Amino acid sequence: MKLVIIGAGAAGFAAMIRSNQLGIRPVIINHGTVGGTCVNVGCVPSKFLLRRGEIIKYFKELGGKGKQSIIDAVKSKDFLVSSMRKEKYEDLLSYYDVDYVDGKAHFISPKAVKVNEKIIEGDRFIIATGSSPSIPEIPGLRESGFWTNVEALSPDRDIDSLIIVGGRAQALEFSEMYNRFGKEVAILQRSKVLIPDWEPEISLEIEKAFKEEGIYVGTGIEIKRVEKTNEGKKVYTNLGEVIADEILLATGRRPNVDLALENAGVSLNSRGGILVDQELRTTNPSIFAAGDVTGGPMLEALAGYEGSTAAQNAINNDGRKVDLTSVPQVIFTQPNLAKVGITEEEARKRGKTESRTLRMSDVAKAQILGEKKGLIKMVIDQTKKILGVHVMGENAAEFIGEAALVVKKGLTIEDIVDTIHVFPTVAESLRLVALSFYTDVKRLSCCV
Amino acid sequence: MLLNEYKLYMNICLYEQSFILSFVKCIGEKMKLNLNLKQDELKCEQCGSPINEGNAYTEEKNGKIHYFCCSHCAEKYFSKHGENI
């Protein structure tokens, strides 16, 4: 079988590795830097700079100056990115059995693509071309200039102030990052709250935390136009104006579907991504798609899982399905925001539900760390099965995986209560919130 | 004004019910934030009470999320306005 993988990011590499494990030498076609968004302009560099921001905060709390130029931090970030890209992507191209083709692919038929005037035929294709920043049509925006995540992670100059348009994961992470580096930040969010698809308690709690850190959070804001003035870049909205050194667009991402898909009989979905079934098969049964290009949740770990699954199904026709109900999501602010499963509002639509919320100030480790902001909320059904876990808490990213396993396996609050958790950890909050369905955990001693 | 004082000023202002924040500060060539924005506080769509992380209750209808201070307000709101709002 000849397998052609288009894209060399998380999904493309996972598909390549799985196909080798199944005895297939694929062709992998890539346009641009190897490694895709995550390692180059996504998770890796942003988490590095967020970590630098955390260190600055700790220095300040201990009475130090806590100052570092973001330009200097970016140099360190660049070193990490290039070394990780080499180790995790570039070197693997020679380690695995693969034909690598550099160029942009376009389908010329359901069984062939054209790259640099070369025609490559295949029995199966996996499209893993990722996504790009979505740029809204705002009068004056293009003329004034703006940043996306790419420029914000590698700024060409230092700035003092930043307007961030958007109020979801990317907006939250960049606002904290730039604020910690001493920049004044204003978030302009169209919805009534930040991260409107999260539990409202978490949306409002992170908004409160940001305001306490000095980040301006504007909600219900419609942007009318943008103008470059002598003072800076001026954003006109329905509620007034803001001027800052730079504008960062964090308004989502759009799937990269510029592949002449019409020649291959591949259709798009309502999100503008490639339409796939649960086995990641497109409307052409010989072509699969994985990762951001499907327009689903744009998460590195999910992209890798989908790439591997698509390869398995494309090669062996195994019929493996991707279950999105237990995919954990994290926003790497401090404290972290993390969730898995469904919200209480979504659970109510399915039937009788219950929920409990526990403040992090009631969790011993949060008190020890001095990071008492946040909460954990657990949603269950009438059989006590856990449907969703939603956290704002220090290091929540490190234990949301446990909650993901609980949701995936359909475990109950008794299963969590009956599992010994290490004291003192923030992860213990999972057990405490499960216990709170039975008792007032504020009246318990440690380790009950 | 020092940065900390500015941030304190922002925090105090942001907790007021509705206000006009107008603040201009320029140092050197780079630009501090210049904000002139009216900020509306999130309020219950039924009774108008402020909504915070302790009392938030949401209902999604036809792709739009509605915010209330309690489930009773949500019930009243949809019985008055209908499910197809």
Side-chain angles (χ1 to χ4, degrees), chain A residues 84-328:
Chain A
M84 197 174 280
R85 183 173 58 232
K86 182 175 185 308
E87 181 188 339
K88 297 290 183 187
Y89 292 92
E90 290 166 352
D91 288 354
L92 296 187
L93 286 174
S94 52
Y95 178 81
Y96 286 96
D97 191 18
V98 58
D99 283 331
Y100 182 78
V101 178
D102 189 6
K104 191 163 169 55
H106 290 92
F107 279 94
I108 54 170
S109 79
K111 294 275 186 184
V113 291
K114 196 172 186 181
V115 186
N116 306 329
E117 303 305 317
K118 182 183 174 187
I119 293 171
I120 299 172
E121 294 184 328
D123 302 308
R124 297 282 187 278
F125 289 82
I126 296 173
I127 303 170
T129 43
S131 61
S132 302
S134 174
I135 311 300
E137 286 301 322
I138 299 171
L141 179 66
R142 289 181 192 276
E143 295 83 347
S144 303
F146 58 87
W147 284 358
T148 66
N149 60 302
V150 178
E151 293 79 19
L153 290 168
S154 297
D156 58 353
R157 68 190 194 286
D158 204 359
I159 58 167
D160 264 350
S161 54
L162 183 64
I163 295 167
I164 299 182
V165 180
R168 295 176 189 256
Q170 219 177 54
L172 268 56
E173 291 189 357
F174 278 110
S175 60
E176 182 184 288
M177 183 194 300
Y178 271 78
N179 176 258
R180 294 275 172 93
F181 277 101
K183 316 305 175 191
E184 291 181 359
V185 176
I187 298 176
L188 305 184
Q189 158 74 331
R190 187 174 54 183
S191 301
K192 289 182 177 177
V193 297
L194 299 174
I195 45 172
D197 49 345
W198 288 57
E199 285 286 9
E201 294 92 335
I202 302 229
S203 299
L204 294 167
E205 183 80 358
I206 189 65
E207 181 177 333
K208 190 169 81 173
F210 271 12
K211 286 175 176 175
E212 285 171 4
E213 285 209 28
I215 297 169
Y216 178 84
V217 179
T219 50
I221 288 180
E222 292 169 28
I223 294 175
K224 301 294 185 188
R225 65 187 174 94
V226 175
E227 185 183 16
K228 194 171 183 179
T229 69
N230 290 334
E231 295 175 284
K233 295 184 180 179
K234 188 169 186 178
V235 176
Y236 294 83
T237 80
N238 58 324
L239 297 178
E241 302 86 47
V242 193
I243 309 177
D245 282 329
E246 194 49 83
I247 300 167
L248 166 60
L249 294 182
T251 42
R253 299 180 67 81
R254 58 173 178 76
N256 294 330
V257 292
D258 179 24
L259 294 153
L261 294 169
E262 62 279 7
N263 295 332
V266 173
S267 301
L268 300 182
N269 57 34
S270 59
R271 300 182 298 268
I274 293 178
L275 179 65
V276 291
D277 61 16
Q278 272 194 299
E279 296 174 12
L280 302 172
R281 192 176 278 105
T282 71
T283 43
N284 177 335
S286 299
I287 300 177
F288 294 72
D292 290 7
V293 75
T294 64
M298 294 185 180
L299 305 164
E300 162 82 358
L302 178 62
Y305 182 81
E306 287 186 347
S308 181
T309 303
Q312 183 109 13
N313 289 341
I315 294 165
N316 283 352
N317 199 22
D318 277 351
R320 287 186 65 192
K321 292 179 169 53
V322 174
D323 174 16
L324 293 176
T325 58
S326 60
V327 177

Side-chain angles (χ1 to χ4, degrees), chain A residues 158-163 179 182 184-186 188 192-193 196 200-201 204-205 208 211-219 221 231-232 237 239-245 345 348-349 359 375, chain B residues 3 6-7 10-11 14-15 19-21 23-27 29-40 42-43 45 51-61 64-67:
Chain A
D158 204 359
I159 58 167
D160 264 350
S161 54
L162 183 64
I163 295 167
N179 176 258
E184 291 181 359
V185 176
L188 305 184
K192 289 182 177 177
V193 297
E201 294 92 335
L204 294 167
E205 183 80 358
K208 190 169 81 173
K211 286 175 176 175
E212 285 171 4
E213 285 209 28
I215 297 169
Y216 178 84
V217 179
T219 50
I221 288 180
E231 295 175 284
T237 80
L239 297 178
E241 302 86 47
V242 193
I243 309 177
D245 282 329
E345 201 266 335
R348 279 200 305 270
K349 289 178 180 167
R359 303 285 316 176
L375 54 91
Chain B
L3 184 63
Y6 161 72
K7 286 180 177 172
M10 290 270 289
N11 286 337
L14 288 168
Y15 282 104
F19 65 95
I20 300 283
L21 180 68
F23 184 67
V24 182
K25 191 180 178 199
C26 296
I27 298 175
E29 293 177 357
K30 287 181 284 183
M31 173 81 199
K32 294 286 182 184
L33 270 182
N34 181 336
L35 283 157
N36 182 12
L37 278 176
K38 182 175 178 287
Q39 178 64 72
D40 287 328
L42 187 63
K43 290 178 182 167
E45 294 181 34
I51 299 173
N52 58 48
E53 66 284 356
N55 68 355
Y57 185 92
T58 57
E59 285 275 356
E60 192 225 327
K61 298 287 180 199
K64 188 183 175 194
I65 303 172
H66 297 269
Y67 293 85

